[in-house]
């Protein structure tokens, strides 16, 4: 052994110069190769040569970061690159990419360096996200990084926010209807009237009473966000790891390794899973099948020959004990029957709704009476139909009898419009069956003759008909009283009874009367916001349009009567007719300028929404709210009708925003 070592050193001494040259040559070659490797990293496509990352590369190419080279975010030190080169040459490298993006890269100059100075940004529809709050403070005992929320693969995109991460942090380990930070940390306080499945619901009185969101929104998330052991084994092949507490695990994987949360955790879905049913209660757990027909009427099912039509109260998930809170009226089959209180209608809605319940009860009795009358006449026909063997007639007449029993036992007030339809259909079923047998049909009572009558008789006779209401599709206030009372137009001219409050008309249908028809109106009657902007009479001290000052009327540009049009090609022709060819180009310039004003206005609206929520001074808050309404009105009116006025309104809005 000594001789071998001695011979080795003798060999080194004898051939030291050639060996040294070879070592230096190999070192130079290695450094040169390493340098080429480093330079190649400036070209993103080169990463795909070694790593299986074509999807990442394609996502990067189509992302907003496609002008940023890989090394700008994925920083590698020379030593790391050297080790990587050695691993590549020896075939010991891992082809699966795992590149960390550190916060310093994201916040570096030329990138998102001002993110913590201007931390609040809008996210989704109504969420204002504060980067400083999440980056500089520990959240649930953990230090978050940029890539905790922004990571590579999100629905085919690159470095964007995955909202599932938000849900995981805010809902994991919380109780039903609860969230870390509370609902209002993301959602605005619902002080306005909300529309839900056809109902207009005002949160304000409930908030004043001190109700919390979870009192009504019982469950708003599904999933536990747990971590299965199999997830650990996908990385830790050896299966044996030191047991660590939650904080330490997150420090290693989230803060240190920048791993996405969903690499380990199961997803939590955030949505309204269960709403309160007027403070709950399951009647069938006590009453068995006693109220089966009442439930069917309430759900709008069980009637033969009639499509399902649930009560709006059922759709809004109001349970039996939401209304039945009164005294015990008696017992049936050993089970208590509890009275419905009109006061519950008033508490949730208004005094008029208490009156409406009385109307429903009265009309319900009338509906039952009419249906029983048809059933009695139908029984006479049923015997004849069975005798003659006319199966279709037998089926129809049996349907009448079954539906009459359903109504009698189900109480029509539980779903008055469905009950009305059952009674109306009974007459139709009888008439068809009578036709099979050569008998005369029964005349339909007046109160069942038209769906139009249900609007007033069943509801709006007590509630009243709304006055002027803002119709989004028209962009203006619609005067109900003028059309309903003065002109006598039926409700069904604009609304469909089958779908409560749903408009079935299109704005173009108004033009038949109002554009050159029998009820022609001044443009300003309907196009209120547009006319106000044109004349400089919008909320704010705006100059009128030059066209307005020159006494150019709407019809001079848009045409008259049935020829009225907003088609820019036709308007362009009228510009040239009044002036010359160059005014056609002027219109195009105005339209382009209007589009730019609209973009600027939409951005301003977004900023106003963010800032208004944060202002504590009530006067400043009111000013910003008025400014937001003005800008919104300008955009609704189309800025092209008064570009100078629109630009002045935006300038005033930007001034108010910055407290200048």
């Amino acid at each position: 052994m000594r001789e071998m070592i001695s011979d080795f050193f003798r060999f080194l001494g004898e051939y030291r110069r050639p060996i040294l040259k070879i070592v230096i040559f190999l070192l130079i070659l290695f450094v040169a190769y390493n340098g080429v490797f480093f330079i190649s990293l400036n070209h993103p496509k080169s990463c795909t040569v070694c790593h299986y990352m074509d999807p990442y590369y394609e996502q990067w190419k189509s992302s907003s970061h496609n002008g940023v080279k890989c090394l700008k975010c994925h920083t590698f030190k020379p030593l790391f690159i050297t080790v990587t080169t050695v691993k590549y040459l020896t075939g010991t490298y891992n082809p699966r990419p795992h590149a960390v993006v550190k916060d310093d890269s994201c916040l570096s100059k030329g990138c998102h360096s001002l993110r913590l100075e201007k931390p609040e940004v809008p996210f989704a529809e109504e969420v204002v996200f504060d980067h400083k709050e999440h980056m500089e403070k520990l959240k649930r005992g953990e230090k978050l990084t940029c890539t905790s929320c922004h990571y590579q693969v999100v629905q085919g995109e690159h470095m964007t926010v995955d909202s599932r991460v938000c849900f995981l942090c805010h809902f994991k380990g919380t109780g039903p209807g609860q969230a870390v930070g509370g609902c209002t940390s993301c959602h605005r306080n619902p002080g306005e009237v909300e529309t839900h499945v056809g109902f207009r619901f005002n949160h304000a009185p409930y908030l004043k009473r001190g109700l919390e969101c979870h009192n009504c929104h019982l469950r708003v998330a599904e999933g536990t966000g747990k971590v299965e052991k199999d997830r650990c084994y996908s990385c830790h092949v050896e299966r044996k790891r030191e047991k660590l507490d939650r904080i330490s695990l997150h420090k290693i994987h989230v803060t240190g390794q920048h791993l996405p949360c969903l690499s380990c955790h199961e997803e939590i879905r955030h949505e309204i899973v269960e709403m309160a049913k007027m403070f709950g209660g399951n009647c069938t757990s006590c009453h068995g099948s006693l109220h089966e027909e009442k439930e069917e009427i309430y759900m709008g099912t069980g009637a033969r020959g009639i499509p399902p039509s649930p009560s709006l109260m059922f759709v809004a998930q109001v349970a039996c004990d939401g209304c039945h809170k009164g005294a015990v009226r008696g017992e049936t089959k050993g089970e208590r029957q509890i009275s419905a209180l009109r006061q519950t209608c008033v508490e949730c809605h208004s005094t008029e709704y208490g009156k409406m319940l009385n109307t429903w009860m009265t009309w319900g009795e009338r509906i039952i009476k009419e249906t029983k009358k048809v059933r009695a006449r139908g029984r006479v026909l049923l015997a004849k139909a069975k005798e003659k063997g006319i199966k279709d007639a037998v089926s129809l007449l049996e349907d009448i009898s079954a539906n009459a029993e359903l109504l009698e036992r189900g109480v029509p007030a539980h779903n008055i419009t469905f009950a009305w339809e059952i009674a109306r259909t009974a007459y139709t079923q009888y008439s068809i069956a009578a036709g099979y047998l050569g008998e005369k049909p029964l005349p339909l009572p007046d109160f069942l003759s038209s769906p139009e009558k249900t609007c007033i008789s069943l509801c709006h006779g007590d509630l009243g008909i709304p006055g002027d209401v803002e119709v989004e599709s028209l962009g203006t206030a619609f005067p109900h009283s003028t059309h309903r009372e003065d002109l006598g137009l039926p409700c069904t001219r604009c609304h469909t009874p089958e779908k409560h409050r749903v408009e079935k008309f299109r704005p173009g249908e108004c033009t038949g009367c109002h554009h050159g028809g029998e009820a022609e109106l001044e443009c300003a009657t309907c196009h209120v916001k547009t006319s106000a902007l044109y004349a400089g009479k919008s909320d704010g001290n705006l100059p009128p349009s030059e066209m307005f000052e020159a006494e150019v009327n709407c019809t001079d540009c848009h045409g008259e009567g049935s020829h009225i049009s907003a088609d820019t090609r036709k308007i362009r022709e009228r510009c040239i007719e009044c002036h010359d060819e160059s005014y056609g180009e002027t219109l195009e310039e105005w339209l382009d300028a209007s589009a730019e004003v609209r973009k600027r206005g939409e951005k301003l609206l977004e900023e106003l929404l963010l800032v208004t929520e944060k202002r504590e001074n009530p006067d400043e808050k009111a000013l910003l709210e008025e400014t937001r309404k003005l800008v919104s009105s300008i955009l609704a009116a189309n800025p092209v009708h008064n570009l100078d006025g629109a630009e002045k309104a935006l300038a005033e809005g930007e001034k108010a925003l910055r407290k200048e």
Side-chain angles (χ1 to χ4, degrees):
M1 185 68 180
R2 288 182 179 178
E3 290 180 0
M4 288 179 62
I5 295 173
S6 178
D7 290 342
F8 175 73
F9 280 105
R10 191 182 303 113
F11 175 81
L12 290 177
E14 186 175 349
Y15 296 99
R16 63 181 179 277
R17 286 183 177 276
I19 291 173
L20 184 60
K21 289 179 180 179
I22 292 172
V23 171
I24 292 173
F25 175 75
L26 291 175
L27 184 61
I28 292 173
L29 185 64
F30 180 79
V31 171
Y33 181 88
N34 207 39
V36 172
F37 179 70
F38 181 78
I39 293 172
S40 71
L41 290 179
N42 285 291
H43 302 279
K45 183 66 176 175
S46 66
C47 301
T48 62
V49 175
C50 304
H51 298 289
Y52 301 143
M53 56 178 298
D54 284 342
Y56 297 89
Y57 175 72
E58 293 301 324
Q59 289 152 10
W60 167 82
K61 274 178 59 178
S62 61
S63 75
S64 58
H65 287 77
N66 58 15
V68 183
K69 294 182 178 179
C70 301
L71 288 183
K72 179 69 173 176
C73 301
H74 306 290
T75 54
F76 298 127
K77 295 180 180 179
L79 177 61
F80 178 83
I81 295 176
T82 302
V83 173
T84 304
T85 305
V86 173
K87 285 184 176 182
Y88 178 70
L89 292 174
T90 58
T92 58
Y93 74 98
N94 185 353
R96 292 188 303 172
H98 173 61
V100 172
V101 179
K102 295 189 175 180
D103 293 352
D104 291 342
S105 298
C106 302
L107 300 173
S108 62
K109 188 175 181 181
C111 294
H112 306 285
S113 56
L114 300 178
R115 177 53 67 217
L116 296 182
E117 294 180 23
K118 298 179 179 179
E120 294 181 351
V121 295
F123 176 66
E125 294 182 4
E126 55 181 17
V127 178
V128 179
F129 184 85
D130 190 332
H131 281 84
K132 195 168 186 177
E133 175 72 20
H134 288 76
M135 294 285 290
E136 295 187 350
K137 296 180 181 180
L138 293 179
K139 292 299 173 184
R140 306 189 74 166
E142 293 141 25
K143 175 72 169 68
L144 300 180
T145 65
C146 296
T147 51
S148 297
C149 300
H150 300 263
Y151 59 87
Q152 284 82 348
V153 185
V154 182
Q155 298 176 349
E157 298 181 6
H158 192 76
M159 297 303 287
T160 51
V161 175
D162 186 347
S163 59
R164 296 176 301 169
V165 177
C166 310
F167 305 153
L168 181 64
C169 284
H170 282 273
F171 293 106
K172 186 173 184 344
T174 60
Q178 305 280 357
V180 173
C183 301
T184 53
S185 63
C186 291
H187 302 283
R188 61 178 173 78
N189 207 347
E192 301 174 0
V193 175
E194 304 281 347
T195 300
H196 173 63
V197 293
F199 275 99
R200 289 169 61 81
F201 185 81
N202 188 357
H203 285 82
Y206 299 92
L207 294 173
K208 287 180 180 178
R209 294 175 192 170
L211 266 69
E212 300 288 343
C213 300
H214 63 83
N215 292 135
C216 297
H217 299 266
L218 299 183
R219 286 197 301 131
V220 294
E222 278 189 324
T224 61
K226 64 181 179 181
V227 178
E228 296 287 357
K229 285 186 177 180
D230 291 346
R231 296 285 184 98
C232 305
Y233 298 153
S234 63
C235 294
H236 302 290
V237 184
E238 68 278 15
R239 297 284 203 272
K240 293 182 179 179
R241 300 292 295 176
E242 179 186 354
K243 288 187 177 181
L244 299 172
D245 60 80
R246 182 180 64 84
I247 299 296
S248 300
L249 278 171
H250 282 89
K251 186 175 181 180
I252 294 170
H253 294 85
V254 178
T255 309
Q257 295 294 322
H258 294 249
L259 290 178
C261 303
L262 295 174
S263 296
C264 303
H265 291 273
E266 289 185 357
E267 180 184 349
I268 292 180
R269 294 170 298 282
H270 174 36
E271 55 192 5
I272 297 178
V273 179
E274 182 184 358
M275 287 289 292
K277 299 177 180 179
M278 288 302 290
F279 308 110
N282 184 354
C283 297
T284 57
S285 64
C286 301
H287 292 277
S289 61
L290 176 64
H291 292 153
E292 183 177 349
E293 291 83 0
K294 296 177 177 64
E295 291 172 354
E296 287 184 328
I297 290 289
Y298 192 46
M299 292 186 292
T301 61
R304 298 184 185 182
I306 300 169
S309 179
S311 163
L312 289 177
M313 301 285 281
F314 174 79
V315 175
Q317 302 188 41
V318 178
C320 306
D321 57 354
C323 301
H324 292 268
K325 296 183 175 182
V328 177
R329 290 190 287 115
E331 291 190 3
T332 301
K333 297 181 182 179
E335 296 173 350
R336 295 185 302 168
Q337 296 182 23
I338 302 174
S339 300
L341 291 179
R342 292 169 180 79
Q343 184 59 29
T344 57
C345 305
V346 176
E347 288 174 357
C348 287
H349 303 286
S350 63
T351 305
E352 288 75 15
Y353 279 80
K355 299 175 185 176
M356 191 167 69
L357 177 59
N358 293 335
T359 300
W360 287 359
M361 297 296 291
T362 302
W363 272 83
E365 293 173 2
R366 187 176 179 184
I367 286 171
I368 290 174
K369 182 179 178 180
E370 288 295 332
T371 311
K372 289 170 73 174
K373 184 175 75 173
V374 179
R375 179 177 63 183
R377 296 287 295 271
R379 283 173 175 167
V380 177
L381 287 187
L382 182 60
K384 294 181 180 181
K386 287 181 177 180
E387 184 180 337
K388 294 183 178 182
I390 304 176
K391 293 182 179 180
D392 288 342
V394 170
S395 177
L396 287 167
L397 294 168
E398 287 179 344
D399 288 350
I400 293 172
S401 182
N403 288 347
E405 185 176 351
L406 175 66
L407 269 182
E408 194 172 1
R409 293 171 61 87
V411 183
H414 288 114
N415 190 348
I416 193 66
T417 54
F418 184 55
W420 181 89
E421 187 61 37
I422 290 174
R424 188 168 184 266
T425 303
Y427 277 88
T428 304
Q429 291 167 328
Y430 180 92
S431 297
I432 296 172
Y436 287 133
L437 297 167
E439 300 286 341
K440 293 182 179 180
L442 286 176
L444 191 66
D446 183 62
F447 83 98
L448 294 175
S449 61
S450 168
E452 158 70 17
K453 298 183 182 297
T454 65
C455 302
I456 305 300
S457 301
L458 300 182
C459 298
H460 289 286
D462 294 312
L463 299 180
I465 297 174
D468 290 359
V469 294
E470 194 75 20
V471 180
E472 186 175 347
S473 57
L474 294 177
T476 186
F478 180 85
H480 268 106
S481 57
T482 300
H483 291 78
R484 171 66 190 167
E485 297 172 12
D486 299 344
L487 300 177
L489 296 180
C491 304
T492 49
R493 177 71 177 270
C494 299
H495 297 279
T496 173
E498 291 79 14
K499 294 183 179 179
H500 185 243
R501 297 178 65 248
V502 174
E503 306 149 8
K504 69 176 184 181
F505 70 96
R506 296 180 179 178
E509 295 177 21
C510 305
T511 60
C513 291
H514 298 308
H515 286 181
E518 296 178 2
E520 186 169 8
L521 299 172
E522 291 291 330
C523 301
T525 305
C526 295
H527 304 282
V528 179
K529 293 177 181 177
T530 303
S531 300
L533 174 62
Y534 188 56
K537 295 179 181 178
S538 300
D539 296 334
N541 185 23
L542 304 183
S545 165
E546 292 180 1
M547 303 279 283
F548 176 81
E549 291 184 319
E551 298 184 354
V552 177
N553 296 319
C554 306
T555 53
D556 293 331
C557 297
H558 291 283
E560 293 185 282
S562 59
H563 299 290
I564 289 178
S565 173
D567 188 334
T568 54
R569 291 172 298 179
K570 294 182 179 180
I571 296 173
R572 190 177 191 277
E573 292 172 1
R574 295 189 180 99
C575 294
I576 295 171
E577 285 177 10
C578 288
H579 304 284
D580 56 48
E581 191 72 31
S582 65
Y583 276 78
E585 297 177 4
T586 301
L587 174 63
E588 297 298 331
E589 292 172 1
W590 285 7
L591 291 170
D592 291 340
S594 177
E596 291 300 317
V597 170
R598 179 174 293 280
K599 287 181 183 178
R600 183 178 155 200
E602 289 171 350
K603 182 182 178 184
L604 178 58
L605 279 178
E606 189 177 89
E607 292 177 349
L608 284 167
L609 180 63
L610 294 174
V611 174
T612 304
E613 290 288 331
K614 297 293 182 181
R615 290 281 168 91
E616 296 181 359
N617 186 307
D619 293 335
E620 291 180 0
K621 198 164 188 173
L623 175 62
L624 289 175
E625 185 60 32
E626 287 299 316
T627 303
R628 189 183 67 80
K629 289 179 180 178
L630 172 61
V631 175
S632 179
S633 174
I634 297 296
L635 298 185
N638 193 344
V640 74
H641 291 100
N642 186 352
L643 282 171
D644 291 340
E647 289 181 348
K648 182 178 179 182
L650 295 192
E652 291 178 354
E654 290 163 349
K655 183 178 179 181
L657 182 67
R658 292 164 179 76
K659 294 185 180 180
E660 293 178 1

